[in-house]
mmCIF file with all atom_site columns, all heavy atoms in Angstrom:
data_model
loop_
_atom_site.group_PDB
_atom_site.id
_atom_site.type_symbol
_atom_site.label_atom_id
_atom_site.label_alt_id
_atom_site.label_comp_id
_atom_site.label_asym_id
_atom_site.label_entity_id
_atom_site.label_seq_id
_atom_site.pdbx_PDB_ins_code
_atom_site.Cartn_x
_atom_site.Cartn_y
_atom_site.Cartn_z
_atom_site.occupancy
_atom_site.B_iso_or_equiv
_atom_site.pdbx_formal_charge
_atom_site.auth_seq_id
_atom_site.auth_comp_id
_atom_site.auth_asym_id
_atom_site.auth_atom_id
_atom_site.pdbx_PDB_model_num
ATOM   1   N N   . PRO T 1 12  ? 177.809 287.467 15.497 1.00 0.00 ? 12  PRO T N   1
ATOM   2   C CA  . PRO T 1 12  ? 176.541 286.958 14.979 1.00 0.00 ? 12  PRO T CA  1
ATOM   3   C C   . PRO T 1 12  ? 175.369 287.849 15.385 1.00 0.00 ? 12  PRO T C   1
ATOM   4   O O   . PRO T 1 12  ? 174.426 287.391 15.989 1.00 0.00 ? 12  PRO T O   1
ATOM   5   C CB  . PRO T 1 12  ? 176.454 285.559 15.572 1.00 0.00 ? 12  PRO T CB  1
ATOM   6   C CG  . PRO T 1 12  ? 177.375 285.551 16.745 1.00 0.00 ? 12  PRO T CG  1
ATOM   7   C CD  . PRO T 1 12  ? 178.335 286.680 16.630 1.00 0.00 ? 12  PRO T CD  1
ATOM   8   N N   . SER T 1 64  ? 162.791 293.143 19.189 1.00 0.00 ? 64  SER T N   1
ATOM   9   C CA  . SER T 1 64  ? 163.927 292.332 18.775 1.00 0.00 ? 64  SER T CA  1
ATOM   10  C C   . SER T 1 64  ? 163.415 290.946 18.365 1.00 0.00 ? 64  SER T C   1
ATOM   11  O O   . SER T 1 64  ? 162.209 290.658 18.467 1.00 0.00 ? 64  SER T O   1
ATOM   12  C CB  . SER T 1 64  ? 164.955 292.253 19.909 1.00 0.00 ? 64  SER T CB  1
ATOM   13  O OG  . SER T 1 64  ? 164.603 291.241 20.823 1.00 0.00 ? 64  SER T OG  1
ATOM   14  N N   . GLY T 1 65  ? 164.301 290.105 17.925 1.00 0.00 ? 65  GLY T N   1
ATOM   15  C CA  . GLY T 1 65  ? 163.901 288.777 17.429 1.00 0.00 ? 65  GLY T CA  1
ATOM   16  C C   . GLY T 1 65  ? 163.106 287.976 18.429 1.00 0.00 ? 65  GLY T C   1
ATOM   17  O O   . GLY T 1 65  ? 162.136 287.283 18.078 1.00 0.00 ? 65  GLY T O   1
ATOM   18  N N   . THR T 1 66  ? 163.481 288.076 19.686 1.00 0.00 ? 66  THR T N   1
ATOM   19  C CA  . THR T 1 66  ? 162.782 287.334 20.742 1.00 0.00 ? 66  THR T CA  1
ATOM   20  C C   . THR T 1 66  ? 161.315 287.766 20.820 1.00 0.00 ? 66  THR T C   1
ATOM   21  O O   . THR T 1 66  ? 160.436 286.958 21.163 1.00 0.00 ? 66  THR T O   1
ATOM   22  C CB  . THR T 1 66  ? 163.495 287.539 22.094 1.00 0.00 ? 66  THR T CB  1
ATOM   23  O OG1 . THR T 1 66  ? 164.872 287.216 21.916 1.00 0.00 ? 66  THR T OG1 1
ATOM   24  C CG2 . THR T 1 66  ? 162.901 286.654 23.181 1.00 0.00 ? 66  THR T CG2 1
ATOM   25  N N   . GLY T 1 67  ? 161.038 289.019 20.516 1.00 0.00 ? 67  GLY T N   1
ATOM   26  C CA  . GLY T 1 67  ? 159.660 289.501 20.474 1.00 0.00 ? 67  GLY T CA  1
ATOM   27  C C   . GLY T 1 67  ? 158.848 288.759 19.413 1.00 0.00 ? 67  GLY T C   1
ATOM   28  O O   . GLY T 1 67  ? 157.705 288.375 19.640 1.00 0.00 ? 67  GLY T O   1
ATOM   29  N N   . MET T 1 69  ? 159.541 285.768 18.301 1.00 0.00 ? 69  MET T N   1
ATOM   30  C CA  . MET T 1 69  ? 159.343 284.387 18.809 1.00 0.00 ? 69  MET T CA  1
ATOM   31  C C   . MET T 1 69  ? 158.163 284.364 19.764 1.00 0.00 ? 69  MET T C   1
ATOM   32  O O   . MET T 1 69  ? 157.314 283.460 19.731 1.00 0.00 ? 69  MET T O   1
ATOM   33  C CB  . MET T 1 69  ? 160.625 283.909 19.541 1.00 0.00 ? 69  MET T CB  1
ATOM   34  C CG  . MET T 1 69  ? 161.851 283.747 18.644 1.00 0.00 ? 69  MET T CG  1
ATOM   35  S SD  . MET T 1 69  ? 163.392 283.526 19.585 1.00 0.00 ? 69  MET T SD  1
ATOM   36  C CE  . MET T 1 69  ? 163.239 281.820 20.171 1.00 0.00 ? 69  MET T CE  1
ATOM   37  N N   . PHE T 1 91  ? 169.239 279.191 21.986 1.00 0.00 ? 91  PHE T N   1
ATOM   38  C CA  . PHE T 1 91  ? 167.985 279.702 21.410 1.00 0.00 ? 91  PHE T CA  1
ATOM   39  C C   . PHE T 1 91  ? 166.905 278.634 21.377 1.00 0.00 ? 91  PHE T C   1
ATOM   40  O O   . PHE T 1 91  ? 165.714 278.963 21.470 1.00 0.00 ? 91  PHE T O   1
ATOM   41  C CB  . PHE T 1 91  ? 168.266 280.350 20.054 1.00 0.00 ? 91  PHE T CB  1
ATOM   42  C CG  . PHE T 1 91  ? 169.146 281.576 20.211 1.00 0.00 ? 91  PHE T CG  1
ATOM   43  C CD1 . PHE T 1 91  ? 170.467 281.565 19.799 1.00 0.00 ? 91  PHE T CD1 1
ATOM   44  C CD2 . PHE T 1 91  ? 168.650 282.695 20.854 1.00 0.00 ? 91  PHE T CD2 1
ATOM   45  C CE1 . PHE T 1 91  ? 171.283 282.678 20.002 1.00 0.00 ? 91  PHE T CE1 1
ATOM   46  C CE2 . PHE T 1 91  ? 169.461 283.812 21.075 1.00 0.00 ? 91  PHE T CE2 1
ATOM   47  C CZ  . PHE T 1 91  ? 170.787 283.804 20.640 1.00 0.00 ? 91  PHE T CZ  1
ATOM   48  N N   . ARG T 1 94  ? 165.422 278.937 24.601 1.00 0.00 ? 94  ARG T N   1
ATOM   49  C CA  . ARG T 1 94  ? 164.535 280.111 24.677 1.00 0.00 ? 94  ARG T CA  1
ATOM   50  C C   . ARG T 1 94  ? 163.132 279.752 24.177 1.00 0.00 ? 94  ARG T C   1
ATOM   51  O O   . ARG T 1 94  ? 162.137 280.200 24.739 1.00 0.00 ? 94  ARG T O   1
ATOM   52  C CB  . ARG T 1 94  ? 165.124 281.285 23.881 1.00 0.00 ? 94  ARG T CB  1
ATOM   53  C CG  . ARG T 1 94  ? 164.351 282.564 24.075 1.00 0.00 ? 94  ARG T CG  1
ATOM   54  C CD  . ARG T 1 94  ? 165.103 283.787 23.596 1.00 0.00 ? 94  ARG T CD  1
ATOM   55  N NE  . ARG T 1 94  ? 166.350 283.965 24.314 1.00 0.00 ? 94  ARG T NE  1
ATOM   56  C CZ  . ARG T 1 94  ? 167.253 284.925 24.037 1.00 0.00 ? 94  ARG T CZ  1
ATOM   57  N NH1 . ARG T 1 94  ? 167.018 285.788 23.074 1.00 0.00 ? 94  ARG T NH1 1
ATOM   58  N NH2 . ARG T 1 94  ? 168.370 285.011 24.708 1.00 0.00 ? 94  ARG T NH2 1
ATOM   59  N N   . GLN T 1 138 ? 164.997 276.189 15.608 1.00 0.00 ? 138 GLN T N   1
ATOM   60  C CA  . GLN T 1 138 ? 165.844 277.182 14.937 1.00 0.00 ? 138 GLN T CA  1
ATOM   61  C C   . GLN T 1 138 ? 166.276 276.597 13.588 1.00 0.00 ? 138 GLN T C   1
ATOM   62  O O   . GLN T 1 138 ? 166.628 275.418 13.530 1.00 0.00 ? 138 GLN T O   1
ATOM   63  C CB  . GLN T 1 138 ? 167.123 277.438 15.766 1.00 0.00 ? 138 GLN T CB  1
ATOM   64  C CG  . GLN T 1 138 ? 167.036 278.515 16.804 1.00 0.00 ? 138 GLN T CG  1
ATOM   65  C CD  . GLN T 1 138 ? 166.026 278.219 17.916 1.00 0.00 ? 138 GLN T CD  1
ATOM   66  O OE1 . GLN T 1 138 ? 165.910 277.097 18.396 1.00 0.00 ? 138 GLN T OE1 1
ATOM   67  N NE2 . GLN T 1 138 ? 165.289 279.237 18.322 1.00 0.00 ? 138 GLN T NE2 1
ATOM   68  N N   . SER T 1 140 ? 168.943 278.023 12.138 1.00 0.00 ? 140 SER T N   1
ATOM   69  C CA  . SER T 1 140 ? 170.366 278.146 12.498 1.00 0.00 ? 140 SER T CA  1
ATOM   70  C C   . SER T 1 140 ? 170.423 278.457 13.989 1.00 0.00 ? 140 SER T C   1
ATOM   71  O O   . SER T 1 140 ? 169.894 279.464 14.442 1.00 0.00 ? 140 SER T O   1
ATOM   72  C CB  . SER T 1 140 ? 170.978 279.267 11.664 1.00 0.00 ? 140 SER T CB  1
ATOM   73  O OG  . SER T 1 140 ? 172.126 279.781 12.276 1.00 0.00 ? 140 SER T OG  1
ATOM   74  N N   . GLU T 1 141 ? 171.048 277.558 14.762 1.00 0.00 ? 141 GLU T N   1
ATOM   75  C CA  . GLU T 1 141 ? 171.186 277.743 16.208 1.00 0.00 ? 141 GLU T CA  1
ATOM   76  C C   . GLU T 1 141 ? 172.472 278.552 16.446 1.00 0.00 ? 141 GLU T C   1
ATOM   77  O O   . GLU T 1 141 ? 173.584 278.037 16.393 1.00 0.00 ? 141 GLU T O   1
ATOM   78  C CB  . GLU T 1 141 ? 171.224 276.368 16.901 1.00 0.00 ? 141 GLU T CB  1
ATOM   79  C CG  . GLU T 1 141 ? 171.547 276.333 18.368 1.00 0.00 ? 141 GLU T CG  1
ATOM   80  C CD  . GLU T 1 141 ? 170.709 277.245 19.262 1.00 0.00 ? 141 GLU T CD  1
ATOM   81  O OE1 . GLU T 1 141 ? 169.581 276.891 19.621 1.00 0.00 ? 141 GLU T OE1 1
ATOM   82  O OE2 . GLU T 1 141 ? 171.243 278.319 19.595 1.00 0.00 ? 141 GLU T OE2 1
ATOM   83  N N   . THR T 1 142 ? 172.288 279.843 16.671 1.00 0.00 ? 142 THR T N   1
ATOM   84  C CA  . THR T 1 142 ? 173.400 280.787 16.694 1.00 0.00 ? 142 THR T CA  1
ATOM   85  C C   . THR T 1 142 ? 174.368 280.559 17.855 1.00 0.00 ? 142 THR T C   1
ATOM   86  O O   . THR T 1 142 ? 175.522 280.970 17.801 1.00 0.00 ? 142 THR T O   1
ATOM   87  C CB  . THR T 1 142 ? 172.854 282.227 16.748 1.00 0.00 ? 142 THR T CB  1
ATOM   88  O OG1 . THR T 1 142 ? 171.754 282.308 15.827 1.00 0.00 ? 142 THR T OG1 1
ATOM   89  C CG2 . THR T 1 142 ? 173.879 283.252 16.343 1.00 0.00 ? 142 THR T CG2 1
ATOM   90  N N   . ASP T 1 167 ? 162.484 279.663 13.762 1.00 0.00 ? 167 ASP T N   1
ATOM   91  C CA  . ASP T 1 167 ? 163.284 280.835 14.086 1.00 0.00 ? 167 ASP T CA  1
ATOM   92  C C   . ASP T 1 167 ? 164.383 280.925 13.044 1.00 0.00 ? 167 ASP T C   1
ATOM   93  O O   . ASP T 1 167 ? 165.315 280.127 13.046 1.00 0.00 ? 167 ASP T O   1
ATOM   94  C CB  . ASP T 1 167 ? 163.856 280.659 15.512 1.00 0.00 ? 167 ASP T CB  1
ATOM   95  C CG  . ASP T 1 167 ? 164.941 281.670 15.859 1.00 0.00 ? 167 ASP T CG  1
ATOM   96  O OD1 . ASP T 1 167 ? 165.324 282.493 14.989 1.00 0.00 ? 167 ASP T OD1 1
ATOM   97  O OD2 . ASP T 1 167 ? 165.408 281.649 17.016 1.00 0.00 ? 167 ASP T OD2 1
ATOM   98  N N   . ILE T 1 169 ? 166.227 283.673 12.561 1.00 0.00 ? 169 ILE T N   1
ATOM   99  C CA  . ILE T 1 169 ? 166.883 284.953 12.861 1.00 0.00 ? 169 ILE T CA  1
ATOM   100 C C   . ILE T 1 169 ? 168.303 284.998 12.304 1.00 0.00 ? 169 ILE T C   1
ATOM   101 O O   . ILE T 1 169 ? 168.733 286.017 11.782 1.00 0.00 ? 169 ILE T O   1
ATOM   102 C CB  . ILE T 1 169 ? 166.825 285.262 14.383 1.00 0.00 ? 169 ILE T CB  1
ATOM   103 C CG1 . ILE T 1 169 ? 165.372 285.393 14.826 1.00 0.00 ? 169 ILE T CG1 1
ATOM   104 C CG2 . ILE T 1 169 ? 167.608 286.549 14.701 1.00 0.00 ? 169 ILE T CG2 1
ATOM   105 C CD1 . ILE T 1 169 ? 165.157 285.601 16.318 1.00 0.00 ? 169 ILE T CD1 1
ATOM   106 N N   . SER T 1 170 ? 169.038 283.881 12.377 1.00 0.00 ? 170 SER T N   1
ATOM   107 C CA  . SER T 1 170 ? 170.358 283.876 11.766 1.00 0.00 ? 170 SER T CA  1
ATOM   108 C C   . SER T 1 170 ? 170.383 283.047 10.482 1.00 0.00 ? 170 SER T C   1
ATOM   109 O O   . SER T 1 170 ? 171.410 282.482 10.104 1.00 0.00 ? 170 SER T O   1
ATOM   110 C CB  . SER T 1 170 ? 171.420 283.410 12.759 1.00 0.00 ? 170 SER T CB  1
ATOM   111 O OG  . SER T 1 170 ? 171.224 282.069 13.136 1.00 0.00 ? 170 SER T OG  1
ATOM   112 N N   . GLN T 1 192 ? 168.884 292.662 12.749 1.00 0.00 ? 192 GLN T N   1
ATOM   113 C CA  . GLN T 1 192 ? 170.307 292.932 12.997 1.00 0.00 ? 192 GLN T CA  1
ATOM   114 C C   . GLN T 1 192 ? 171.264 291.826 12.600 1.00 0.00 ? 192 GLN T C   1
ATOM   115 O O   . GLN T 1 192 ? 172.405 291.815 13.023 1.00 0.00 ? 192 GLN T O   1
ATOM   116 C CB  . GLN T 1 192 ? 170.497 293.279 14.480 1.00 0.00 ? 192 GLN T CB  1
ATOM   117 C CG  . GLN T 1 192 ? 170.523 292.102 15.458 1.00 0.00 ? 192 GLN T CG  1
ATOM   118 C CD  . GLN T 1 192 ? 169.178 291.642 15.922 1.00 0.00 ? 192 GLN T CD  1
ATOM   119 O OE1 . GLN T 1 192 ? 168.187 291.776 15.239 1.00 0.00 ? 192 GLN T OE1 1
ATOM   120 N NE2 . GLN T 1 192 ? 169.141 291.054 17.124 1.00 0.00 ? 192 GLN T NE2 1
ATOM   121 N N   . LYS T 1 193 ? 170.797 290.852 11.804 1.00 0.00 ? 193 LYS T N   1
ATOM   122 C CA  . LYS T 1 193 ? 171.689 289.731 11.462 1.00 0.00 ? 193 LYS T CA  1
ATOM   123 C C   . LYS T 1 193 ? 171.952 289.744 9.957  1.00 0.00 ? 193 LYS T C   1
ATOM   124 O O   . LYS T 1 193 ? 172.753 290.516 9.480  1.00 0.00 ? 193 LYS T O   1
ATOM   125 C CB  . LYS T 1 193 ? 171.091 288.432 11.972 1.00 0.00 ? 193 LYS T CB  1
ATOM   126 C CG  . LYS T 1 193 ? 170.660 288.544 13.440 1.00 0.00 ? 193 LYS T CG  1
ATOM   127 C CD  . LYS T 1 193 ? 171.325 287.600 14.382 1.00 0.00 ? 193 LYS T CD  1
ATOM   128 C CE  . LYS T 1 193 ? 170.979 287.946 15.816 1.00 0.00 ? 193 LYS T CE  1
ATOM   129 N NZ  . LYS T 1 193 ? 170.960 286.821 16.717 1.00 0.00 ? 193 LYS T NZ  1
HETATM 130 C C1  . PLP O 2 .   ? 169.961 286.607 17.723 1.00 0.00 ? 401 PLP O C1  1
HETATM 131 C C2  . PLP O 2 .   ? 169.034 285.454 17.807 1.00 0.00 ? 401 PLP O C2  1
HETATM 132 C C3  . PLP O 2 .   ? 167.906 285.484 18.650 1.00 0.00 ? 401 PLP O C3  1
HETATM 133 C C4  . PLP O 2 .   ? 167.630 286.611 19.593 1.00 0.00 ? 401 PLP O C4  1
HETATM 134 O O1  . PLP O 2 .   ? 167.271 287.744 18.964 1.00 0.00 ? 401 PLP O O1  1
HETATM 135 P P1  . PLP O 2 .   ? 167.125 289.130 19.788 1.00 0.00 ? 401 PLP O P1  1
HETATM 136 O O2  . PLP O 2 .   ? 167.045 290.111 18.643 1.00 0.00 ? 401 PLP O O2  1
HETATM 137 O O3  . PLP O 2 .   ? 168.375 289.274 20.614 1.00 0.00 ? 401 PLP O O3  1
HETATM 138 O O4  . PLP O 2 .   ? 165.923 289.058 20.593 1.00 0.00 ? 401 PLP O O4  1
HETATM 139 C C5  . PLP O 2 .   ? 167.064 284.397 18.645 1.00 0.00 ? 401 PLP O C5  1
HETATM 140 N N1  . PLP O 2 .   ? 167.297 283.322 17.873 1.00 0.00 ? 401 PLP O N1  1
HETATM 141 C C6  . PLP O 2 .   ? 168.374 283.264 17.054 1.00 0.00 ? 401 PLP O C6  1
HETATM 142 C C7  . PLP O 2 .   ? 168.587 282.056 16.229 1.00 0.00 ? 401 PLP O C7  1
HETATM 143 C C8  . PLP O 2 .   ? 169.284 284.315 17.013 1.00 0.00 ? 401 PLP O C8  1
HETATM 144 O O5  . PLP O 2 .   ? 170.352 284.253 16.213 1.00 0.00 ? 401 PLP O O5  1
#
Side-chain angles (χ1 to χ4, degrees):
S64 83
T66 307
M69 294 168 74
F91 295 109
R94 188 165 299 176
Q138 271 63 41
S140 157
E141 172 52 81
T142 317
D167 168 356
I169 297 176
S170 65
Q192 79 274 29
K193 311 240 171 150

